[in-house]
Amino acid sequence: MIKLIAFDLDNVLIDGEAIDEIGKLMDVEAEISEITKKAMEGDLDFETALKERVALLKGASVEDIKDVVSKIPFMEGAEETIAELKKRGYKIATITGSFEIIANRMKDDLGLDYAFSNVLHEKEGKLTGEVSGPLVKGSKAEVLKEIMEMEKIKAEESAAVGDGANDVSMLEEAGLGIAFNAKPVLKEKADVVVEKRDLKEVLEVFNKEEKENETSDETTPEKAEDTAPEETIAETKKEETPLETEEPAKEETPAETEEPAKEETPAETEEPAKEETEKTTKEPSEASKKESPAKKSSPDVKAEVKSEPNPDAGKSFGELLSNKKDLEKRLKVLTKERDDLNENAREFKKVRDELNASIKENLDKALKYRDERDNINKEVRKYKKLRDETNQELKKMEYASGRRDILKIQGEIDKLEKTIETKVLDMRKENELVKKVQDLSKTLSEMKEDEKVQTEAVALKEVSEAHHAKVVEFSDKAQETHESMLEYFKNIDEVRAKADLAHNQFIETRETASAKHEEVKAVLNEIRRKNKGLDKVKAKERNMESEKSKKKNMAEKEIARDIYEKFKEGKKLSTEELRLLQKHNIV
């Protein structure tokens, strides 16, 4: 299936040669056209032709060139064709030996994906007569390969459209080569030739190619689609909100965690198509009618036919019939093997689809627990905020009531008493500490806490503890829900590994079935060839019998004439002789 289409620019996407139009500015159009003609017909190598033509442009104004190329029209049907091909999902490129000044305009105006071209050198707004770029010395095939590598596609998934000798390498590299209003040298290399100067004719080529692919899909085990289900494990790539963990020192809360990411399900693939079933009959004349259509039916397709020796030449009818019967036995075996492989592929697909469904089910549950956890964390945050606000209010009350000062002095007294009890001090030092304790105790006895504020502080403390209890309760629930979510994500990883295995088995089996199907088709073609050989042998035998009968008839007629002459002379005829005369209408 074609995925990438590369177009030449001059006389393909645009109606004209850009360098010829630029040559008019310097009155060298005739010289440039002559060099262009030789290059396009293959009489002059492209690098030499390009450098000679660009040298003739030395001194041309860049602004004048921009004005000239802006007026070069699109080829008939170019805009409609490119728009339709882009709509269908094809990647579109232009690979041209022309220049950026026109190629980039085409890329922007037509919405091309790639534009590879050469660069005209300039100095102070004038051309220097020099040129550089990927297509001065390099070939268009090399550039096409570069694009295929970037897009990760194979040569058979690309097409190229050109008109001259410098497009030969590109058409040979591509899976489908199209010569558009081309020179004879390119037509000889092309798969399809389009004579009309209208790119909508090229669109018709791809319409046929797509229809042939659809027909092929109906007669061969189909390819897997690389599209994932609408809802996949990829949803889990979104970052999940971690559990709330910023708690006071006393709290024990679950650690911050993130949900697993990068969950992806194996690509969904359709099951193998129903296999092509072709019947062969015992009558050679009927079987020989069942010739399969050629791969490309376009009248423009150039097919190189090579004469090969016929391996059935000289064989008798009996030998050919025996060969055919052997082939039919082999066909039966191959068909069964192919059908068994397709059945296995369907089974692997069924297993994979069931596992994918299980992944979806686990994902739904995991996301449900994630949402539940997030809602619980909202409650955690709410009660944390309430608790912290209450604690702040409690601190303010303690300062206002003098409780903080009381606690501070009591703390100093406790510290001094501990020092006196636990350390060995000289008498003077110990007396000083005892005196300090007595003074502090006296001060403490004179201090009195505001009873009203104290009562309110006790109440606030109870509220704070209640809020903290809620924080702990909801944190535990959030942790439990988070672990349930992780368990389902773990299940997804395990099931996905099995689904990947089933998918790989499906792909491998389907590819084996496809290869077996090709063997089936090859044997069918052999049977058709045997049928043709049988028809030819039969025809030859009929011709030989006819010739033998004809000679016998002529000999009998001569004998009949002799008998008639003798009859006229009075000879008496026997019954057999009379019958012979009647048979040849002599009497």
Side-chain angles (χ1 to χ4, degrees):
M1 179 179 176
I2 302 299
K3 297 179 180 178
L4 166 69
I5 307 170
F7 289 85
D8 184 18
L9 182 65
D10 295 322
N11 286 314
V12 178
L13 288 179
I14 60 174
D15 193 358
E17 284 277 346
I19 197 167
D20 290 353
E21 296 302 313
I22 297 171
K24 293 177 182 179
L25 295 173
M26 305 297 290
D27 294 323
V28 292
E29 179 188 2
E31 293 94 320
I32 287 177
S33 294
E34 183 61 29
I35 297 171
T36 300
K37 181 181 178 183
K38 290 180 180 179
M40 296 301 283
E41 291 177 349
D43 297 331
L44 185 64
D45 72 89
F46 182 74
E47 181 182 353
T48 302
L50 180 62
K51 288 182 176 179
E52 287 181 5
R53 288 178 292 173
V54 172
L56 293 171
L57 300 176
K58 184 177 181 180
S61 166
V62 174
E63 288 302 316
D64 290 344
I65 292 171
K66 288 180 180 178
D67 183 58
V68 166
V69 298
S70 69
K71 296 175 182 177
I72 299 176
F74 291 115
M75 178 61 70
E76 177 71 26
E79 292 175 287
E80 301 94 319
T81 298
I82 299 302
E84 178 60 26
L85 291 172
K86 290 283 293 177
K87 182 180 176 182
R88 296 183 191 180
Y90 292 98
K91 292 289 183 180
I92 308 296
T94 181
I95 303 175
T96 174
S98 192
F99 314 111
E100 275 188 351
I101 201 166
I102 179 70
N104 287 345
R105 174 204 155 195
M106 291 301 105
K107 183 181 180 184
D108 294 338
D109 290 353
L110 296 176
L112 307 180
D113 298 289
Y114 299 96
F116 286 83
S117 57
N118 293 318
V119 181
L120 293 170
H121 292 200
E122 61 178 276
K123 186 176 182 180
E124 297 178 352
K126 303 287 185 180
L127 295 188
T128 64
E130 297 177 337
V131 63
S132 63
L135 291 152
V136 175
K137 293 184 178 181
S139 70
K140 292 191 177 185
E142 291 170 351
V143 176
L144 181 58
K145 286 179 183 178
E146 183 179 339
I147 299 174
M148 288 190 291
E149 287 176 4
M150 288 189 285
E151 291 293 332
K152 293 182 173 56
I153 66 173
K154 301 175 183 176
E156 56 265 30
E157 295 174 322
S158 66
V161 185
D163 72 318
N166 64 323
D167 296 312
V168 168
S169 67
M170 180 169 70
L171 265 66
E172 289 180 336
E173 179 64 29
L176 176 63
I178 302 173
F180 177 78
N181 188 39
K183 302 296 185 291
V185 66
L186 188 65
K187 290 180 182 180
E188 293 175 0
K189 303 292 184 180
D191 299 306
V192 177
V193 175
V194 176
E195 297 289 2
K196 189 175 179 181
R197 287 175 64 83
D198 184 345
L199 275 179
K200 291 194 289 292
E201 296 295 313
V202 172
L203 187 59
E204 286 301 311
V205 173
F206 290 103
N207 289 340
K208 291 177 182 177
E209 196 267 343
E210 288 172 7
K211 287 179 181 177
E212 288 171 4
N213 282 333
E214 289 173 5
T215 303
S216 176
D217 288 342
E218 292 174 1
T219 57
T220 58
E222 71 185 350
K223 297 178 181 177
E225 293 182 3
D226 294 329
T227 54
E230 190 172 298
E231 296 182 8
T232 69
I233 310 309
E235 291 183 43
T236 61
K237 288 183 179 178
K238 298 179 182 177
E239 291 188 8
E240 306 300 344
T241 307
L243 293 173
E244 297 296 327
T245 59
E246 188 182 346
E247 302 293 330
K250 293 180 181 179
E251 290 185 28
E252 291 183 4
T253 57
E256 292 190 13
T257 58
E258 293 184 359
E259 294 188 17
K262 339 183 260 189
E263 302 294 332
E264 297 177 358
T265 57
E268 289 292 318
T269 54
E270 298 178 6
E271 64 182 275
K274 295 180 181 178
E275 294 75 17
E276 174 186 345
T277 54
E278 298 189 47
K279 298 181 180 180
T280 58
T281 63
K282 294 183 179 180
E283 288 297 324
S285 58
E286 290 182 20
S288 62
K289 294 177 184 177
K290 297 186 179 180
E291 293 297 321
S292 59
K295 183 177 181 182
K296 296 181 182 177
S297 57
S298 170
D300 295 328
V301 176
K302 297 285 183 180
E304 184 179 347
V305 180
K306 296 181 180 179
S307 58
E308 296 179 357
N310 184 359
D312 294 331
K315 289 187 178 180
S316 67
F317 184 87
E319 288 175 317
L320 289 171
L321 189 59
S322 176
N323 292 157
K324 179 190 169 185
K325 287 180 178 178
D326 290 340
L327 287 168
E328 286 174 340
K329 289 178 183 177
R330 176 162 172 70
L331 176 65
K332 186 176 180 181
V333 172
L334 289 173
T335 302
K336 185 179 185 307
E337 289 176 353
R338 180 199 63 188
D339 293 346
D340 289 345
L341 286 165
N342 277 326
E343 182 60 32
N344 290 340
R346 280 188 285 270
E347 286 299 318
F348 285 129
K349 180 183 180 299
K350 180 182 177 183
V351 171
R352 183 206 62 197
D353 292 346
E354 289 173 353
L355 290 168
N356 278 340
S358 176
I359 290 173
K360 175 67 170 55
E361 182 181 345
N362 277 274
L363 175 63
D364 290 342
K365 290 180 179 179
L367 296 179
K368 178 184 175 183
Y369 278 113
R370 179 202 64 185
D371 294 340
E372 184 179 341
R373 181 206 63 190
D374 291 346
N375 290 331
I376 294 172
N377 276 334
K378 288 179 183 178
E379 293 297 309
V380 172
R381 287 191 293 272
K382 182 180 82 171
Y383 282 106
K384 279 177 65 177
K385 183 180 179 182
L386 290 171
R387 181 200 62 194
D388 293 345
E389 289 173 351
T390 304
N391 286 341
Q392 284 297 113
E393 189 65 27
L394 185 58
K395 287 177 183 178
K396 291 178 184 177
M397 282 189 174
E398 288 177 345
Y399 282 117
S401 67
R403 180 173 176 76
R404 283 282 175 181
D405 293 334
I406 293 171
L407 293 173
K408 183 178 179 181
I409 292 173
Q410 184 62 56
E412 289 181 16
I413 292 171
D414 293 341
K415 184 177 179 181
L416 290 171
E417 288 179 343
K418 187 174 182 180
T419 300
I420 293 169
E421 291 174 2
T422 59
K423 291 187 178 180
V424 178
L425 305 170
D426 59 55
M427 187 61 68
R428 186 180 60 79
K429 182 67 174 175
E430 184 175 349
N431 289 336
E432 287 177 2
L433 293 176
V434 169
K435 179 68 169 58
K436 194 171 183 179
V437 169
Q438 290 172 348
D439 292 342
L440 287 171
S441 297
K442 184 178 178 182
T443 302
L444 183 62
S445 65
E446 293 173 354
M447 296 179 71
K448 187 175 181 182
E449 185 177 355
D450 187 313
E451 293 183 0
K452 182 180 177 182
V453 174
Q454 184 181 9
T455 302
E456 290 178 357
V458 170
L460 278 178
K461 187 174 182 181
E462 290 176 353
V463 172
S464 175
E465 289 173 350
H467 290 330
H468 180 71
K470 284 290 185 182
V471 169
V472 173
E473 177 187 346
F474 283 116
S475 293
D476 289 343
K477 286 184 179 179
Q479 180 65 36
E480 182 182 344
T481 308
H482 183 72
E483 289 173 357
S484 297
M485 178 196 71
L486 293 179
E487 185 63 30
Y488 279 108
F489 277 123
K490 181 181 177 183
N491 292 343
I492 288 171
D493 288 338
E494 294 173 355
V495 177
R496 188 183 65 217
K498 294 177 182 178
D500 288 344
L501 176 60
H503 178 70
N504 291 335
Q505 289 173 320
F506 164 70
I507 295 297
E508 182 181 348
T509 307
R510 188 202 60 192
E511 289 174 351
T512 306
S514 295
K516 191 65 66 175
H517 183 71
E518 292 302 314
E519 291 185 55
V520 168
K521 291 198 294 185
V523 173
L524 282 169
N525 288 333
E526 278 296 311
I527 291 174
R528 292 190 188 104
R529 191 164 68 180
K530 300 300 179 191
N531 283 333
K532 284 184 177 181
L534 287 166
D535 284 343
K536 287 180 181 179
V537 170
K538 272 191 171 183
K540 185 177 180 181
E541 289 177 352
R542 283 195 296 269
N543 288 338
M544 290 176 65
E545 289 175 1
S546 176
E547 188 65 28
K548 185 178 179 181
S549 177
K550 185 177 179 181
K551 289 180 179 180
K552 180 181 178 183
N553 191 54
M554 289 177 65
E556 286 183 347
K557 197 167 185 177
E558 285 298 320
I559 293 171
R561 286 197 184 100
D562 290 341
I563 292 171
Y564 182 65
E565 290 300 323
K566 291 178 181 179
F567 171 72
K568 287 194 297 184
E569 292 174 1
K571 181 184 176 184
K572 189 177 181 179
L573 302 180
S574 66
T575 303
E576 288 182 2
E577 288 174 330
L578 286 171
R579 287 175 179 169
L580 189 60
L581 293 176
Q582 289 174 345
K583 178 180 178 182
H584 295 284
N585 296 318
I586 294 177
V587 292

